[in-house]
Amino acid sequence: MAYVLAYDFGTGGIKASLYDEQGVCRADGFDAYPTLYPAQGFHEQRPEAWWRATVASTRKLLAAMPGDTAEAVAGIGLSGHSLGVVPVDGSGRLLREAVPIWSDARPDTQPATFFSAVPETEWYLTTGGGFPPPLYSVFKLMWFRDREPEMFRRVHKILGTKDYINFRLTGVMATDHSYASGSGVYDLKKRAYAPGLIEASGLGSKIFPEIVPSTQVLGTLTEDAARELGLPQTVKVVAGGVDNACMSLGAGAFREGRAYNSLGSSSWIAVSSSSPLLDAVKRPYVFDHVVPGQYVSALAIFSAGTSFSWVREQLCRDLVERAAREGGSAYRLMDEEAATSPAGANGVLFNPTLAGGSSLDATPALRGAFLGLDLRHTRADLLRAAMEGVALGLRNVLDELGRLAPVAEPLTLVGGGANSPLWRQICADVYHRAVVRTRAGQQAAALGAAAVAAVGTGLWSSFERVDEVSPVADRNEPDEAQAALYGRLLGRYKQASALLGAWALG
């Protein structure tokens, strides 16, 4: 039996998984690392912490398996959170102890300087950069050049999160197309860096790493890496991919029109297609896929699970305490209570923009609300309304993506929210389409990284194996009566969002 190791680097930590050649996850674990907030808009992590977590999680996985497992590991694949900026010198030494991650928004004057040379709409239609521009790597690099010139003069390459770990594993500096497509200087349709955009940045092309296919073997483990991890030097390391592309593959969204819905802290719907789905007004964010010939295009709401977590902390302290006493889950108790409220939550409507509006809203300053409250309403109504509000926000996302390209059924749900039978049914009814949860569940990004490693090392002949190893575990069909009710509520949800947007704009 051969194995592959998959590492999914998220904002809060690394999820490490050991898959056998049949695609079965034999062991997994999680190691956390902190995010630092040294100033307004600065969100940083320490790459050395990523490496320590990689070593620790690998050692734990191997310790949980039979003693000869390490010798049977054939390959390693990484999924990394996007838009990271890791400056290294020619020897690969870190030039900063802590580096900006995807959510870092420190660039202030740099976007305006760039867009004085390249119209912002032209930049978006070239790169698919649908997030706020300061988040993209090119603007963070320009900030380093302007604010930390001494450090910047020593930069040899700028690596992404998973690319830095790949360098620690193999000694090779490179990236893949999916990660490079978040650089802000990548031409989606040409699938290459855009010389005109690099020229507008004033950075020069040599600072950006070589782009290779996600399945390309970068090399085998260095002597130091093998010793630290407890693995043989023969283990092959593939380039891997950005997290949302790996998640798309692991969720089965790797053919034309297939889509998945990540129902986590933030929530998005992403579609796999042979052409990027671009719209200069709604601005889907687009990444190249880890699967050749495909793109991943998505729209999001920023506060889904976090809105529900807020409801838990503010309204359900007793359920949290009960779950702690009983060794259960507060979310399961919340589900049970929410299920006692009927569809439509007895007239309560929730707008989930507690973390601000997205590109689908009138303004980023938009904030959420419970609407329609009266004295008869119960906590159960508020809990159900919170679930329904997230689903209604995502229905807007689905409709906008469907306007740009056909979205196939069923829609695969991943993330923590997908574990809730009630929430899955609400989604099916609100979306008016079948939704499924596959065996991969919350491991979609890890499975995607494992699949990239399995194909790259030759254990699998193609990505088609993903469908075989991650069959449907649960399927929810829409209830037509409830779907009709939610269709009417969707209009009210849009009216409420417009009202809240106007209020936020003053």
Side-chain angles (χ1 to χ4, degrees), residues 144-379:
F144 278 146
R145 179 198 61 198
D146 298 342
R147 304 300 173 85
E148 299 183 7
E150 291 187 15
M151 182 278 289
F152 190 78
R153 279 194 291 271
R154 299 167 58 199
V155 173
H156 172 63
K157 294 291 180 189
I158 293 291
L159 302 177
T161 51
K162 58 92 181 173
D163 301 321
Y164 175 73
I165 298 300
N166 278 340
F167 169 73
R168 292 290 294 265
L169 294 170
T170 67
V172 176
M173 296 184 193
T175 192
D176 77 297
H177 288 275
S178 70
Y179 209 98
S181 63
S183 65
V185 291
Y186 182 90
D187 189 321
L188 285 171
K189 293 178 182 177
K190 293 182 179 178
R191 286 193 157 100
Y193 291 127
L197 298 182
I198 293 177
E199 182 180 355
S201 74
L203 295 169
S205 60
K206 292 182 180 179
I207 200 171
F208 297 99
E210 177 189 4
I211 305 173
V212 301
S214 298
T215 54
Q216 181 165 315
V217 175
L218 298 177
T220 55
L221 294 178
T222 66
E223 182 179 352
D224 287 345
R227 182 181 64 256
E228 288 195 66
L229 295 171
L231 292 168
Q233 280 190 256
T234 54
V235 175
K236 297 176 181 178
V237 180
V238 301
V242 76
D243 52 3
N244 55 23
C246 287
M247 184 177 290
S248 185
L249 173 58
F254 59 93
R255 294 187 190 134
E256 192 72 25
R258 281 196 182 185
Y260 77 94
N261 178 184
S262 177
L263 198 57
S265 297
S266 59
S267 191
W268 62 89
I269 296 176
V271 181
S272 179
S273 59
S274 56
S275 297
L277 306 186
L278 299 167
D279 182 277
V281 177
K282 299 302 183 182
R283 296 206 168 194
Y285 56 93
V286 185
F287 287 84
D288 214 328
H289 211 310
V290 291
V291 177
Q294 293 286 300
Y295 298 92
V296 182
S297 305
L299 282 166
I301 60 175
F302 297 145
S303 188
T306 48
S307 288
F308 203 53
S309 295
W310 179 86
V311 171
R312 178 195 64 186
E313 295 303 316
Q314 303 306 319
L315 302 179
C316 304
R317 298 286 178 87
D318 59 321
L319 298 184
V320 173
E321 293 170 0
R322 177 183 160 192
R325 289 195 307 271
E326 298 175 353
S329 165
Y331 287 118
R332 181 182 60 79
L333 298 175
M334 291 165 68
D335 270 20
E336 292 174 355
E337 188 166 328
T340 65
S341 176
N346 285 316
V348 179
L349 186 66
F350 177 68
N351 186 293
T353 51
L354 273 62
S358 71
S359 61
L360 298 179
D361 297 308
T363 171
L366 181 70
R367 291 298 183 269
F370 281 104
L371 299 102
L373 288 170
D374 65 35
L375 294 173
R376 70 191 172 98
H377 287 123
T378 66
R379 183 171 67 179

Side-chain angles (χ1 to χ4, degrees), residues 63-80:
M65 297 293 290
D68 59 350
T69 299
E71 299 301 318
V73 175
I76 289 174
L78 273 64
S79 164

Side-chain angles (χ1 to χ4, degrees), residues 131-152:
F131 294 129
L135 301 184
Y136 284 88
S137 303
V138 63
F139 303 111
K140 295 169 185 173
L141 297 181
M142 292 172 67
W143 188 93
F144 278 146
R145 179 198 61 198
D146 298 342
R147 304 300 173 85
E148 299 183 7
E150 291 187 15
M151 182 278 289
F152 190 78

Side-chain angles (χ1 to χ4, degrees), residues 35 40 46 58 98 102 126 168 185 244 247 255 341 394 409 464 496 498:
T35 300
Q40 179 74 28
R46 295 186 178 97
T58 305
W102 69 273
T126 301
R168 292 290 294 265
V185 291
N244 55 23
M247 184 177 290
R255 294 187 190 134
S341 176
L394 288 166
E409 287 198 52
E464 304 299 319

